[in-house]
Amino acid sequence: MTGPSSTLTWAQLRDLKCAELEEAADGWGKASNRADAGRDRIEKQLLTGLRETQQGAAADAAVRRLRQMGRNLQYVYTECGLVRTALNSLAHEMRAQQKVLRNALDDAESLKFTVHADGSVTYPEGGEGLIDGKPLPGGTARVNTMPGLLPPSGLVAPNPNATKAQDIADRVTKAVRTAAEIDWRFTRVLRRLKAEEGLKVPDRTWTDAAGDAAAVRDAARGYLKSRIPHDAPPAARGEWWAHLTDEQREEYLAVYPDQIGNLDGIPATVRDTANRDNLQLLIGKLEGRDDETSHVRLAGLREIDRQLRSDGRPPMYLLGIGDEGNGRAIVSFGNPDTARNVAAYVPGLNTALDEEFATGDLKRARDTAIGAKEMDPDTTVASIVWLGYDAPQASLDHLTADLEVAGESSARKGAAAYNEFMAGISATNENSDPHVTAIGHSYGSLTVGIAARQGGGIPGADDVVLVGSPGVGAHSAEELGVGRDHVFVGAAENDPVTKLPNSREASGLGTGIVGGASVGFSLGMAGGPVGAVLGGAVGGIAGGSMGYAAQDAQTEESDVWFGTDPAHRDFGANRFAVDDGPRLLERGHRPAEAHSNYFDPAKDQVSADNIARIVADRSGEIERGRPR
């Protein structure tokens, strides 16, 4: 390889054997594949066998060693894959410059020009003088000069071969200079692709691996990324992937696990493989950072990684992972490509990629998968938690004000992404007519509601489940695209989110509080500071009540923050039974805990069972509740 100050000649570029670079890439590819196969055998055979047959300190030590070995092999797989792609990309770019060079040399040969080692081009006499009619003398064209052309006098015409020779010289020089830049760009990348001595693969090694992947992407530029069909519909993306060669797929997985893992329409097993690798790169990327956001996100990533490695049941599939916005994570319990019953749950307010999401929201999806399987042991189930958007970050203590700021903008963006994801699920599911349930909780129900009213509705959805909903932006269940008989609502009596005032009521409440407090404070001044404070408090309460009542009298009983209350009879959905839940500030419980219990069989068995029945396509067996 040449350095940035080295001289690459056109003869060296012409004679470069790109096929040998590709053969070397194949060798690194084989090493990568062997490491991947070893890792797969450890995780799916050896660890599983140990857990099922052995117990005790020795078995625990063996599990730890095997996990470390699997981690080492994962690193080998990643780094060898990066070397392979770097070499293939180098060959690809060099071959393009060879083509430019050879076309220029072929033109020179056909014109009987001579190309010299320094790239200059000698051309013969040609044309004829304006005065004597004799051929004009030949010359040599060099880069940035036009030799052979006499100063324009109006009496002498230029040799027509001069322009042709100059063009050839420019093309030769440009090809050589571009090839030298390519050569040095990849030299720097390949030099950094080396393992730590002893191959211990600590966290800092994955930090290096994340940097290595970024460097190879930068060097490879458009070699792979530009071919990923981001703008195609999910079904077309699946077709694109299906028609790639095994070698091409391996390169994409090695260099762009984040792109492939989050590409809707790609098979679930492929996305899982890509995202598990990208998860390690993300952990490495965040490792060592001191800011609070990185610490919070790293905790969430580590918890997801722990669960993936625990080999629990149902099996986990990591369908999406990323660090944009508040973080992205899509986890399925069960394979959504083979399951007859598929559910995709959208979480709501305050959800982000953190440890709480990795423990709480993943548990909700797992509980639903287990519950649906219990309802119908003969069926197959995939229960997904979909954090593919930025849910509003707020506080239940100031929920009305926070929702006013949030509005529907986050839900609208999330709805478009959710529909694309669901279209991908429809494209990859192998059943002729899978049963698909869209589930929205809290603000996530608004996201699902908007998704159901976009275009042709939620792709593939048969049923819609809304729990803890502040409204879905609709006035009727008929607007959700699946028919009112297939819209199901759970609303706990003590869940304050399901009883949020509508915007006019909230405005009257706020205006009344401010006005009443101001008047009460003024009147109470006669009693001194204490009287002013008491007067302000009493006035605020009275004014707020009056303002709320005035606006409430002008609005429908069924109106909540985002449209009609889905649990109200006016909405026309099926309300299923749920536990009332703890009161808002009941001692021994978290504030507004009733808002979080819908999926948890330990806290609300009735609700969890009803959701499971709907997911298992047994909605006729739910325990019904009376609409409001």
Side-chain angles (χ1 to χ4, degrees):
M1 292 287 179
T2 59
S5 59
S6 302
T7 301
L8 176 70
T9 67
W10 64 260
Q12 290 174 321
L13 176 59
R14 178 196 62 192
D15 298 335
L16 178 66
K17 294 180 174 58
C18 291
E20 292 183 355
L21 290 172
E22 291 169 334
E23 289 176 3
D26 289 343
W28 285 98
K30 291 177 181 177
S32 179
N33 291 340
R34 290 193 185 101
D36 190 40
R39 175 187 63 172
D40 194 63
R41 183 166 182 264
I42 287 173
E43 293 180 352
K44 295 183 178 179
Q45 296 181 31
L46 299 180
L47 283 174
T48 300
L50 267 175
R51 292 191 191 100
E52 293 177 351
T53 63
Q54 303 295 321
Q55 292 183 344
D60 292 342
V63 167
R64 288 193 297 271
R65 293 293 297 273
L66 283 171
R67 282 179 175 166
Q68 182 61 51
M69 185 180 297
R71 186 174 170 84
N72 291 357
L73 289 171
Q74 184 175 14
Y75 178 74
V76 172
Y77 160 76
T78 298
E79 292 291 295
C80 289
L82 292 175
V83 174
R84 172 183 55 193
T85 297
L87 291 172
N88 276 333
S89 185
L90 172 60
H92 172 76
E93 292 196 39
M94 284 297 201
R95 188 174 278 115
Q97 297 310 312
Q98 278 185 325
K99 183 176 180 180
V100 173
L101 172 65
R102 285 169 178 164
N103 287 341
L105 295 177
D106 289 344
D107 289 346
E109 184 179 4
S110 66
L111 293 167
K112 301 191 181 328
F113 293 177
T114 301
V115 181
H116 301 285
D118 63 355
S120 60
V121 179
T122 297
Y123 54 91
E125 61 182 18
E128 57 183 34
L130 296 178
I131 298 176
D132 57 13
K134 293 182 179 180
L136 294 170
T140 300
R142 294 179 175 83
V143 177
N144 298 326
T145 65
M146 291 291 285
L149 289 180
L150 299 178
S153 64
L155 299 176
V156 179
N159 184 333
N161 289 325
T163 301
K164 297 176 183 177
Q166 187 62 52
D167 175 65
I168 291 172
D170 288 341
R171 287 154 60 195
V172 168
T173 301
K174 183 178 180 181
V176 171
R177 287 178 177 173
T178 302
E181 184 277 327
I182 294 167
D183 180 48
W184 180 239
R185 178 163 29 105
F186 280 96
T187 295
R188 288 179 294 172
V189 170
L190 290 167
R191 282 175 177 169
R192 68 176 288 168
L193 294 177
K194 58 182 180 181
E196 185 173 315
E197 184 177 354
L199 198 60
K200 299 175 183 177
V201 196
D203 288 334
R204 65 177 179 274
T205 304
W206 278 108
T207 302
D208 293 340
D212 292 344
V216 171
R217 293 177 190 176
D218 182 63
R221 295 176 180 174
Y223 168 60
L224 291 174
K225 187 176 182 180
S226 62
R227 304 177 192 179
I228 301 175
H230 290 289
D231 296 330
R237 295 171 185 166
E239 286 293 315
W240 167 77
W241 182 262
H243 288 90
L244 293 177
T245 65
D246 289 342
E247 291 75 14
Q248 289 171 325
R249 293 174 187 167
E250 290 163 4
E251 281 197 89
Y252 276 111
L253 289 172
V255 182
Y256 288 107
D258 58 329
Q259 304 287 321
I260 301 304
N262 291 287
L263 196 62
D264 297 320
I266 300 298
T269 53
V270 175
R271 293 180 70 166
D272 178 62
T273 297
N275 284 316
R276 287 178 187 242
D277 291 334
N278 190 40
L279 175 61
Q280 299 305 317
L281 296 177
L282 287 173
I283 290 173
K285 179 181 175 181
L286 296 175
E287 182 69 30
R289 292 187 180 180
D290 294 329
D291 60 287
E292 180 65 20
T293 298
S294 295
H295 287 170
V296 169
R297 192 159 297 170
L298 187 60
L301 292 172
R302 289 193 182 283
E303 174 58 23
I304 292 174
D305 184 50
R306 185 196 67 78
Q307 293 185 40
L308 287 168
R309 294 178 183 277
S310 68
D311 194 33
R313 291 289 182 269
M316 289 176 65
Y317 293 81
L318 189 58
L319 303 181
I321 197 74
D323 61 353
E324 59 267 38
N326 295 328
R328 302 286 187 267
I330 307 171
V331 179
S332 179
F333 292 89
N335 187 340
D337 291 353
T338 58
R340 167 68 179 80
N341 295 295
V342 180
Y345 143 64
V346 182
L349 196 70
N350 284 335
T351 309
L353 180 52
D354 54 21
E355 192 168 8
E356 183 178 352
F357 166 82
T359 53
D361 289 283
L362 263 65
K363 181 180 182 299
R364 291 175 179 175
R366 180 188 286 110
D367 286 343
T368 299
I370 294 171
K373 187 68 174 177
E374 290 174 350
M375 296 301 167
D376 185 355
D378 296 327
T379 194
T380 49
V381 179
S383 177
I384 302 166
V385 53
W386 183 87
L387 181 60
Y389 79 124
D390 285 330
Q393 303 298 297
S395 160
L396 283 172
D397 296 331
H398 306 92
L399 190 55
T400 300
D402 289 328
L403 283 176
E404 185 172 16
V405 173
E408 294 187 359
S409 59
S410 295
R412 291 192 179 280
K413 293 177 183 177
Y418 182 69
N419 276 346
E420 184 164 307
F421 172 77
M422 296 299 278
I425 293 296
S426 294
T428 57
N429 191 279
E430 299 169 5
N431 293 277
S432 59
D433 185 23
H435 173 252
V436 178
T437 305
I439 304 176
H441 173 244
S442 187
Y443 188 88
S445 69
L446 176 63
T447 303
V448 169
I450 292 176
R453 292 181 290 118
Q454 285 184 345
I458 300 171
D462 298 289
D463 293 315
V464 171
V465 175
L466 310 168
V467 289
S469 177
V472 297
H475 296 291
S476 168
E478 289 289 355
E479 298 177 39
L480 303 188
V482 294
R484 64 192 304 159
D485 290 340
H486 293 274
V487 178
F488 302 89
V489 178
E493 182 62 28
N494 293 320
D495 181 353
V497 176
T498 70
K499 298 180 179 180
L500 288 175
N502 59 57
S503 57
R504 291 183 63 182
E505 293 168 340
S507 176
L509 177 66
T511 302
I513 289 174
V514 173
S518 177
V519 171
F521 183 85
S522 298
L523 294 176
M525 285 289 290
V530 174
V533 172
L534 290 174
V538 172
I541 294 172
S545 299
M546 293 175 63
Y548 176 86
Q551 293 299 326
D552 181 51
Q554 301 179 49
T555 59
E556 296 292 335
E557 176 194 15
S558 59
D559 286 351
V560 287
W561 191 261
F562 293 115
T564 300
D565 176 6
H568 197 277
R569 61 180 177 275
D570 290 351
F571 192 77
N574 299 285
R575 187 178 181 188
F576 57 84
V578 303
D579 188 81
D580 288 349
R583 291 184 298 276
L584 182 60
L585 297 175
E586 185 173 328
R587 180 177 296 180
H589 295 274
R590 292 178 290 106
E593 184 180 315
H595 184 61
S596 304
N597 291 348
Y598 295 100
F599 300 88
D600 192 337
K603 295 182 177 180
D604 191 344
Q605 183 75 59
V606 175
S607 176
D609 284 351
N610 280 327
I611 294 172
R613 289 186 183 103
I614 297 166
V615 171
D617 200 12
R618 295 194 169 211
S619 58
E621 301 174 5
I622 64 170
E623 183 179 341
R624 296 183 178 272
R626 294 182 61 185
R628 288 174 175 164

